[in-house]
């Protein structure tokens, strides 16, 4: 009798878990690339956290600003001190939804095109963004990838006159998160 | 019978709770967001020690060393100028007709260790130093201060007429602790206990070893401009010397930092500034001067082998 109940409870538990599956990473990658005639620079962040609800499509991405690494140490300092002011605004985040989550079959390996929309907040400014990307399902892990551009002006990131022409208006952001079932 | 009824009630119960959970999730996506957020925060790795950065804009406050090092693999080419004194008057354009300069190369060997060499035109002095980070202040204030050690050796090689006064006699050594605290993004402070040893001094009653304590600080006015100051108080001193006071402004542009300063020291190296300053602010022996720093990334940091960054 007791055994039956226990078995039943376990069955119920696992069934429920597979129902609303969540995927999580703490080592997501975000790359930032600016290209102008005068100067190119690229910066990498490997400490991005992201979580995705496979049922509702809700997603949150947290990007610690100080984790962006630059080839030039001085540039990294200026990025933190003068541009993103990371003491005041330590994190950028995206809170939104994959709007066509139902088209992703998490039980079947494959590459699925997705659309996401939500709020991107950084440097204390929030903007609605719509982005395209892919979700690759492979076993119990998924890889979420997206590439889009942002304009520093939209986030009140001032580029001094002297640096105009060295920092692009459209900065390419690439997000690449390998997320595991949680 | 009892078994059946128990199972049934069990089923019912579970069914209800499940339905409840579903409806909650569907109606309130805000709570879902909170859910995800708490999940992100839940077993978040305790944030690694973030060391306080940019306590000062560059590796010097004005004349003296600051707690900052050049980053690993970075070469810093520095040019420092000190003009004559303002009280030289209009005939010398308030000192601008004269200039002493030092050019130097600093290099970051590791995250903690930097080395530098330099040559000053004043008394034809060669110097070399190492600076090592002993303690580093963290953002969470678990380590409330930064401490670095700076060791410096220098020799003056200008011609003197005295017999038997070789270069070896004109070497001085400096040991210095830099104790710094970044109080806020705008305000930093530094204390610098210093020991200088002169191999030979002018007269017998003068000390070969002098001890001084320096204080320095900076206040950021805007993101790219800050006000700096430093003062060295000598506990014992060579004859006719004064304490060095320097006030400056740091201005940073892309790859450069400009420091404009006013100081009563003519020399630019530590042994000179701290122990051999003769100018008096009160008498108008004030030198205008500037430091320019230009950094070059010599060794690419890890992970940038295939980056699309171009630096030339």
């Amino acid at each position: 009798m007791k055994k039956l109940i226990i078995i039943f409870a376990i069955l119920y538990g696992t069934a429920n878990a597979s129902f609303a599956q969540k995927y999580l990473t703490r080592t997501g990658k975000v790359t930032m690339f600016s290209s102008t005639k005068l100067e190119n620079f690229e910066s990498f962040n490997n400490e991005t956290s992201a979580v995705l609800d496979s049922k509702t499509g809700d997603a949150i991405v947290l990007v610690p600003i100080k984790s962006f690494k630059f080839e030039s140490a001085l540039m990294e300092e200026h990025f933190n001190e003068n541009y993103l002011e990371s003491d005041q605004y330590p994190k950028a985040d995206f809170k939104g939804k994959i709007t066509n989550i139902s088209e992703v079959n998490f039980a079947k390996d494959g590459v699925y095109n997705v659309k996401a929309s939500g709020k991107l907040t950084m440097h204390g400014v929030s903007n609605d963004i719509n982005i395209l990307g892919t979700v690759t399902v492979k076993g119990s892990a998924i890889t979420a990838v997206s590439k889009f551009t942002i304009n520093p002006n939209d986030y009140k990131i001032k580029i001094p006159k002297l640096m105009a022409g060295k920092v692009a208006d459209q900065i390419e952001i690439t997000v690449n998160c390998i997320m595991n079932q949680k | 019978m009892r078994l059946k009824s128990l199972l049934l009630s069990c089923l019912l119960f579970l069914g209800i709770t499940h339905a409840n959970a579903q409806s909650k999730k569907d109606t309130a996506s805000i709570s879902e967001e909170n859910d995800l957020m708490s999940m992100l925060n839940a077993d978040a790795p305790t944030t690694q020690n973030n060391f306080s950065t940019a306590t000062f804009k560059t590796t010097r406050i004005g004349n003296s060393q600051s707690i900052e090092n050049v980053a690993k693999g970075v070469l810093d080419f520095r040019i420092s100028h000190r003009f004559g004194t303002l009280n030289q008057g209009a005939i010398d354009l308030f000192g601008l007709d004269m200039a002493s300069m030092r050019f130097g190369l600093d290099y970051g060997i590791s995250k903690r260790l930097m080395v530098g060499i330099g040559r000053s035109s004043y008394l034809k002095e060669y110097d070399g130093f190492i600076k090592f980070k002993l303690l580093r202040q963290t953002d969470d204030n678990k380590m409330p201060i930064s401490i670095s050690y700076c060791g410096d050796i220098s020799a003056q090689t200008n011609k003197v007429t005295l017999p038997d006064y070789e270069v070896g006699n004109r070497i001085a050594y400096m040991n210095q602790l830099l104790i710094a605290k970044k109080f806020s993004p705008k305000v930093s402070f530094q204390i610098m206990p210093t020991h200088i040893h002169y191999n030979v001094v002018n007269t017998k009653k003068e000390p070969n070893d002098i001890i001084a304590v320096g204080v320095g600080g900076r206040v950021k006015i805007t993101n790219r401009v800050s006000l700096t100051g430093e003062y060295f108080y000598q506990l014992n001193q060579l004859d006719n010397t004064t304490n060095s006071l320097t006030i400056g402004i740091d201005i940073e542009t892309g790859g450069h930092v400009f420091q404009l300063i006013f100081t009563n020291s003519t020399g630019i190296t530590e042994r000179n500034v701290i122990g051999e300053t003769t100018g008096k602010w009160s008498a108008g022996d004030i030198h205008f001067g500037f430091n320019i720093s230009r950094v070059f990334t010599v060794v690419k940091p890890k992970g940038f082998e295939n980056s699309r960054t171009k630096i030339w």
Side-chain angles (χ1 to χ4, degrees):
Chain A
M1 170 59 218
K2 266 186 185 166
K3 268 185 194 162
L4 239 168
I5 293 176
I6 290 167
I7 288 168
F8 190 78
I10 289 171
L11 271 173
Y12 170 83
T14 50
N16 200 27
S18 68
F19 224 162
Q21 193 63 264
K22 293 194 173 95
Y23 291 86
L24 184 127
T25 182
R26 299 205 182 278
T27 55
K29 293 179 171 48
V30 174
T31 306
M32 192 170 70
F33 179 56
S34 158
S35 175
T36 66
K37 280 174 190 159
L38 293 174
E39 192 167 71
N40 286 356
F41 66 83
E42 192 168 29
S43 170
F44 302 107
N45 182 324
N46 298 329
E47 294 171 11
T48 296
S49 308
V51 60
L52 171 70
D53 186 318
S54 67
K55 191 173 160 293
T56 61
D58 285 313
I60 299 180
V61 183
L62 287 183
V63 187
I65 299 297
K66 281 193 179 176
S67 304
F68 275 103
K69 298 294 168 218
F70 288 74
E71 185 167 322
S72 151
L74 193 69
M75 209 183 260
E76 187 171 313
E77 187 177 313
H78 290 174
F79 172 76
N80 282 296
E81 285 267 298
N82 304 342
Y83 293 86
L84 272 287
E85 302 180 274
S86 58
D87 275 329
Q88 235 176 312
Y89 312 107
K91 275 178 182 164
D93 62 51
F94 171 80
K95 285 178 187 160
K97 220 176 174 67
I98 293 183
T99 47
N100 60 339
I101 193 75
S102 55
E103 290 169 28
V104 182
N105 183 353
F106 287 89
K108 194 180 162 211
D109 287 5
V111 183
Y112 304 89
N113 288 318
V114 291
K115 293 173 198 157
S117 63
K119 266 199 164 54
L120 178 63
T121 307
M122 66 176 174
H123 197 236
V125 182
S126 295
N127 283 313
D128 288 320
I129 61 165
N130 292 301
I131 55 177
L132 299 173
T134 59
V135 168
T136 307
V137 177
K138 199 178 177 196
S140 65
I142 61 166
T143 307
V145 178
S146 179
K147 190 186 262 190
F148 55 96
T149 60
I150 56 170
N151 184 338
N153 275 330
D154 295 344
Y155 297 89
K156 292 190 181 153
I157 297 165
K158 283 181 214 136
I159 314 292
K161 271 188 194 145
L162 206 73
M163 295 304 288
K166 287 188 175 179
V167 180
D169 303 334
Q170 295 297 322
I171 300 204
E172 178 195 294
I173 308 289
T174 312
V175 182
N176 187 330
C177 293
I178 301 173
M179 302 162 81
N180 291 309
Q181 260 178 29
K182 197 73 184 176
Chain B
M1 184 62 210
R2 263 185 68 201
L3 200 149
K4 256 192 188 168
S5 67
L6 238 164
L7 247 175
L8 230 136
S9 59
C10 191
L11 248 170
L12 247 160
F13 174 72
L14 285 175
I16 287 164
T17 52
H18 194 161
N20 255 345
Q22 282 305 105
S23 68
K24 257 184 206 159
K25 260 173 203 163
D26 291 342
T27 50
S29 83
I30 293 166
S31 81
E32 168 72 19
E33 196 180 290
N34 288 341
D35 245 34
L36 292 180
M37 206 62 191
S38 60
M39 215 175 132
L40 270 185
N41 292 330
D43 49 335
T46 45
T47 44
Q48 63 188 54
N49 279 347
N50 263 329
F51 297 113
S52 301
T53 53
T55 306
F56 290 94
K57 283 248 186 274
T58 176
T59 55
R60 309 297 199 285
I61 297 178
N63 273 319
S64 70
Q65 299 278 352
S66 81
I67 197 79
E68 297 296 328
N69 279 16
V70 289
K72 184 184 174 186
V74 172
L75 184 72
D76 183 8
F77 180 53
R78 303 186 67 90
I79 298 174
S80 310
H81 259 267
R82 302 294 179 264
F83 292 104
T85 54
L86 297 185
N87 62 7
Q88 284 173 309
I91 188 77
D92 281 327
L93 200 60
F94 304 97
L96 292 186
D97 283 356
M98 295 172 53
S100 89
M101 62 121 34
R102 173 184 184 271
F103 58 91
L105 289 170
D106 294 354
Y107 183 71
I109 291 177
S110 74
K111 277 181 180 169
R112 287 172 182 266
L113 178 66
M114 74 176 268
V115 296
I117 51 169
R119 162 64 157 73
S120 308
S121 63
Y122 181 64
L123 304 181
K124 302 191 191 302
E125 183 176 339
Y126 290 86
D127 66 281
F129 71 90
I130 64 159
K131 187 155 68 172
F132 187 79
K133 293 188 176 194
L134 300 165
L135 294 176
R136 291 178 285 181
Q137 183 182 348
T138 55
D139 281 347
D140 58 14
N141 252 340
K142 271 183 186 157
M143 174 55 66
I145 54 168
S146 301
I147 299 182
S148 288
Y149 165 80
C150 182
D152 182 294
I153 172 169
S154 79
Q156 295 167 343
T157 63
N158 63 321
K159 284 214 171 83
V160 282
T161 46
L162 295 174
D164 297 328
Y165 194 52
E166 61 221 30
V167 170
N169 289 342
R170 305 169 68 196
I171 290 178
Y173 307 87
M174 185 207 67
N175 293 302
Q176 187 172 52
L177 278 182
L178 310 168
I179 305 164
K181 174 141 181 88
K182 187 177 186 180
F183 284 99
S184 75
K186 286 192 159 47
V187 179
S188 307
F189 190 73
Q190 184 171 292
I191 300 174
M192 300 161 276
T194 308
H195 159 245
I196 299 173
H197 174 82
Y198 295 97
N199 273 359
V200 174
V201 288
N202 286 340
T203 59
K204 265 190 180 161
K205 68 173 191 34
E206 284 177 281
N208 278 87
D209 293 271
I210 70 157
I211 303 286
V213 178
V215 291
R218 76 108 187 240
V219 178
K220 252 168 112 172
I221 299 169
T222 70
N223 273 342
R224 291 176 178 79
V225 178
S226 50
L227 209 62
T228 60
E230 69 190 47
Y231 178 74
F232 280 93
Y233 178 77
Q234 301 179 89
L235 298 174
N236 61 336
Q237 60 193 83
L238 303 179
D239 288 350
N240 304 319
T241 62
T242 52
N243 293 333
S244 169
L245 172 67
T246 305
I247 290 167
I249 299 172
D250 290 359
I251 302 167
E252 67 177 45
T253 64
H256 299 82
V257 178
F258 291 100
Q259 297 183 300
L260 308 177
I261 64 168
F262 289 95
T263 177
N264 57 337
S265 300
T266 311
I268 298 163
T269 56
E270 274 69 28
R271 57 89 66 94
N272 237 306
V273 170
I274 301 166
E276 297 170 53
T277 291
T278 51
K280 289 194 181 87
W281 272 75
S282 56
D285 300 327
I286 302 164
H287 302 265
F288 172 63
F290 60 84
N291 304 332
I292 300 173
S293 150
R294 171 74 186 162
V295 293
F296 303 91
T297 304
V298 176
V299 181
K300 279 191 183 191
K302 260 185 206 161
F304 281 87
E305 292 79 8
N306 300 313
S307 85
R308 293 172 281 178
T309 302
K310 271 185 229 155
I311 295 176
W312 57 85

